[in-house]
Amino acid sequence: MTGKINLSLILSSGTLALFVVLALFAPLAAPYSPTEVLTNPYATPSVDHWLGADTLGRDLLSRSIYGLRYTLGISLFVTVVACAIGVTLAILAAVRRGWIDVLIGRTVDAIMAIPQIIFALIVLAVAGVSLKTLVGTMIVLETTLFFRILRASAGDIAVMDFIEVARLRGETLRWYIFREILPNLAPTLIAEFGLRFAFASLFISALSFLGVGIQPPDADLGGLVRENALAISAGKVAPLFPAIAIAMIAVSTNGIVDFLIRKYSVRGELQA
Amino acid sequence: MSFLDIQGLSLKAGATEILRDVSLQLERGQVLGLIGESGAGKSTLALAAIGFLKPGLTIAGGKVSLDGIDLVAASPDELSKLRQSKVAYVAQSAAAAFNPFYRLGHQVTELRALRDGIGGSERRQLAAELFARLQLPEPDRFGLKYPHQVSGGQLQRAMIAMALLNNPELIVFDEPTTALDVTTQVEVLKVIRQVIAAEGCSAIYVSHDIAVVSQVCDRIVVVRNGVMVEANETRRIIDSPQTDYARALVASRSTSDFNRETSDTQILIEGRGLDLGYGSVRIVENVDITVGRSEIVALVGESGSGKTTVARAIAGLLVPRRGSVTLSGIRLAASVDDRNDDQRRRIQFIHQLPDVALNPRQTVRAVLARPLVKFMGLSGADLEERLRGLMAEVELPAALLDRYPGALSGGQKQRVYIARCLAAEPDILICDEVTSALDPLVEESILSLLWHLNQDKGLGMLFITHNLGVTRRFTDRVVIMERGRIVESGTTKAIFAAPGEEYTKRLMLAEPSTRAGWLDERIASGD
């Protein structure tokens, strides 16, 4: 391991850890209420208001800290659920093959054929904007991506002789998933999980930016960018802070994932 | 000075020594055999002789000179010139070495096109000449084929043709017949012998099969753990090996019989009228096969004869189109998925390659514990005791229980696999080429382990192999298959004493022997 990798790991995990702590303890960490009008609209950063104020004069730092809660919370929840469903379906398809494989595979193809953002916009337009619909839609979309990549890896593993040995022993699907295939999928899974988490945070931000995500007066980071977007043409910095936060989430997640992949593959080589 | 002169060569990969202080000489027109277990460093040594080091290797000391050129000091340009004109390399697996995208004629003549810029008709003509020299069918048209359109033996010969392209003075053959079955092996060996004689070039022949090496080479060098153990003329090594290791290697080909005494003939498992295939391809036709209690039955044939397919049908991995499998007189479900746990327990299947049959992410303990828990219902102290007992049965230290398969040797992995089968306390073991991927000495130890299990526990075995030497020594009864049909069967003694079918005779003659003149007889007989 070179020093450079460790530096990027320290920066990434430090950033993400700080964000997570802020999100968890938002009521304690935020200096003001996120919804209270406290000063002039678009007040520039000052000692009292570190990041300045938003379009209505609310404290932008407090709003950003609460925004982190939404962005991280929803991304994490969506990624965990989608990962669990995606992995299960992928291994089921790889082991059982036949019509189950075709059914799941083609359904996923059909969903993936529609651009993600369009799909989400249509669903949210038809079903109405609510947190449940939003999270549900994101889970469906993320699941297809998990399924696609893990089905390929699981397919490679499912043809190995040790899977045949498990079949000769008459093992259950549970055993295939958790004992035979999943441990071998771990490196792919870790990488994919981190990547999908980063994309999920970008996705929820994008939806909120388009106005179909978290609804005012609450706001996630994407929503904060939207609220303050007009200020950019007036030369104000307000929308930059939540935008930078979104970028930092994506970048630091990738930094951690890179490290894990490297660590895992080195260990894998020693074992293999 | 010798044509090839290696003096005190040591190679390292990082801090690990791969070769230590190896010195050898090779004269023009001589053939040198390098023999040893896998990982002994014989391929590395052969490649160093033509100035090539695998990535990660460094020279820790010594000299290699070929025809007066110092290969250690040579620049990459000089080396590449040397490889274009003086030396050639024939790799183990032609199937993996050829690019499936290009026609054979194109690939075989590529070097001349790069070096001399010859093209079109000249290339085709050159390819045809080479293919004719290697006695390939229709040499004019052979070059138009793609690698997947020719047989394994033909592909290996095409690769030798490629090696002859630049009229080399030294050819390195790196296990050129290891991946082939016996009859194909003879076909390729004959060609190698004739080519070396006709070209008058020197050659280094790398193999772990002492019989093959003894037929092709003038001198033999035995390598073990990166050190030269013994070097001498071929007949001297075969007739009077000096070191224990060389003695064991030579003996592995001629070890006396396991003392087989067939007593019990009560039929344990029976496959009747089996018709097998995948999709629209029919592979096995109307095969009957039985294995009795404590009986070892060999299922023998060339690759593609359908022997593994029969084994898979008996194990329930392949559903027969017609025919049935019975265990102790009770008809089994066609698919293993529909059999009950007790039936699954009683039939155990050993795969050819333990590397892919053991989950790389499960420790030995996890591997062995599963059948004990599932079939035997063991837990706690009983489980631990049985685990240690199993390791002892397959002669492995209990300390290996917490290792992952990646940290075990090939022989140890196969032992772990056998222990996993034993854990189920089966009545019958189906062994699918279980020793063919192993080095001769390891093969011998695994055979003797299986033999003890057969003697002590009365295990019946269906032993699938293409190795007739092992068949003759190890089994009670032989079933010989050709293209999906049984051509001959009977007791091992009777079949080997008087084979009834041409095919059986051909298989037996193809089995390499260390006897002087074996290959010459094969060439003379022209079959």
Side-chain angles (χ1 to χ4, degrees), chain A residues 30-258:
Chain A
Y32 306 99
S33 152
T35 47
E36 201 180 331
V37 177
L38 296 160
T39 177
N40 302 322
Y42 298 130
T44 44
S46 63
V47 181
D48 288 336
H49 304 283
W50 291 2
L51 300 185
D54 76 348
T55 174
L56 297 177
R58 293 172 292 196
D59 181 55
L60 194 54
L61 178 61
S62 304
R63 281 187 73 72
S64 295
I65 289 172
Y66 277 91
L68 267 177
R69 260 196 161 177
Y70 278 111
T71 304
L72 290 180
I74 292 177
S75 309
L76 189 66
F77 180 75
V78 165
T79 316
V80 167
V81 175
C83 177
I85 302 175
V87 167
T88 313
L89 290 181
I91 298 180
L92 176 74
V95 173
R96 288 278 191 271
R97 296 184 184 253
W99 65 269
I100 291 188
D101 192 13
V102 174
L103 182 71
I104 304 175
R106 293 301 87 81
T107 311
V108 164
D109 286 347
I111 297 175
M112 286 178 91
I114 308 165
Q116 279 205 337
I117 200 96
I118 309 264
F119 184 94
L121 287 175
I122 294 170
V123 172
L124 289 165
V126 172
V129 177
S130 74
L131 194 59
K132 268 188 207 157
T133 325
L134 183 68
V135 169
T137 312
M138 285 182 67
I139 287 176
V140 170
L141 290 171
E142 294 286 308
T143 301
T144 61
L145 297 166
F146 270 110
F147 174 84
R148 177 53 67 230
I149 192 141
L150 291 172
R151 168 66 185 82
S153 310
D156 290 345
I157 298 166
V159 295
M160 302 288 272
D161 284 350
F162 59 78
I163 299 298
E164 202 166 271
V165 172
R167 189 180 158 209
L168 282 167
R169 211 163 48 219
E171 299 290 4
T172 58
L173 187 63
R174 251 177 82 110
W175 180 274
Y176 278 109
I177 293 178
F178 291 109
R179 299 307 179 90
E180 302 288 348
I181 297 184
L182 200 55
N184 288 289
L185 279 181
T188 319
L189 197 59
I190 291 170
E192 189 61 13
F193 185 88
L195 208 60
R196 293 266 62 89
F197 175 74
F199 275 107
S201 65
L202 292 176
F203 193 48
I204 175 75
S205 302
L207 287 176
S208 293
F209 183 77
L210 293 173
V212 294
I214 307 298
Q215 295 303 304
D218 295 327
D220 67 338
L221 294 174
L224 288 174
V225 178
R226 172 189 165 86
E227 284 173 4
N228 301 298
L230 287 175
I232 205 88
S233 47
K236 306 283 186 187
V237 290
L240 290 183
F241 295 115
I244 290 171
I246 296 170
M248 283 167 81
I249 292 175
V251 171
S252 46
T253 310
N254 277 305
I256 295 171
V257 169
D258 281 351

Side-chain angles (χ1 to χ4, degrees), chain A residues 160-165 167-172 175-176 179-181 183-187 264 267-268 270-272, chain B residues 312 315-317 335-337 341 344 349 351 353 356-362 370-371 374-375 404 406-407 417 420:
Chain A
M160 302 288 272
D161 284 350
F162 59 78
I163 299 298
E164 202 166 271
V165 172
R167 189 180 158 209
L168 282 167
R169 211 163 48 219
E171 299 290 4
T172 58
W175 180 274
Y176 278 109
R179 299 307 179 90
E180 302 288 348
I181 297 184
N184 288 289
L185 279 181
Y264 211 93
R267 246 189 31 216
L270 286 177
Q271 285 175 5
Chain B
R312 292 175 62 81
L317 289 168
S335 164
V336 68
D337 302 330
D341 265 2
R344 289 183 189 132
F349 191 100
H351 288 80
L353 299 171
V356 283
L358 293 172
N359 193 329
R361 304 254 174 218
Q362 288 178 358
R370 184 56 189 164
K374 185 168 168 46
F375 293 133
Y404 285 92
Y417 199 130
R420 163 157 75 188

Side-chain angles (χ1 to χ4, degrees), chain B residues 13-25:
Chain B
T16 323
E17 263 191 334
I18 303 295
L19 282 181
R20 192 164 76 236
D21 196 22
V22 174
S23 301
L24 61 86
Q25 284 78 37

